[in-house]
Amino acid sequence: MPASVVFDSLVRSIQVGSLYALMALGLTLTLAVVRLPNFAHAELITIGGYTALLCSLWLTTNPAIILVLSFAGSALVALVAHRVVYRPLAAATSPLTRCCWPPSRSA
């Protein structure tokens, strides 16, 4: 097996592992701070990846611009999800949300 293939496989493995670590860290921080699991981290990272792909194909090949646009796309989707899903869930007073969303940290 050529050394270039081994090196390429190693680099790609580190990239994928870094994405998994980033998703796990985001899920852990959200659960620790808000006490509500946000399983949309993988979707937000995927949206950022697709935004980066589309920007690189249709708009520009400048990595800095692609990074900014993909971050903006993911942030916009995250903001909409927060407004549509998390705010109403935090304001809900049903027994199910009281059971699953503890309003105090003393419990």
Side-chain angles (χ1 to χ4, degrees):
M1 187 179 286
S4 63
V5 173
V6 172
F7 180 73
D8 186 51
S9 296
L10 181 65
V11 168
R12 290 180 190 270
S13 299
I14 291 172
Q15 288 174 337
V16 171
S18 298
L19 282 176
Y20 287 148
L22 182 66
M23 287 185 265
L25 182 65
L27 181 62
T28 303
L29 286 174
T30 304
L31 186 60
V33 173
V34 184
R35 291 190 177 200
L36 180 72
N38 181 6
F39 296 111
H41 275 63
E43 287 82 2
L44 295 174
I45 291 173
T46 303
I47 288 171
Y50 278 120
T51 305
L53 174 68
L54 294 176
C55 289
S56 68
L57 292 175
W58 293 342
L59 298 176
T60 182
T61 57
N62 185 349
I65 295 173
I66 293 171
L67 184 66
V68 168
L69 291 175
S70 65
F71 176 76
S74 292
L76 181 66
V77 172
L79 182 67
V80 169
H82 177 73
R83 302 259 177 177
V84 172
V85 177
Y86 289 110
R87 276 193 182 174
L89 185 61
T93 58
S94 73
L96 180 63
T97 55
R98 279 196 301 261
C99 158
C100 301
W101 176 296
S104 68
R105 299 199 184 261
S106 62

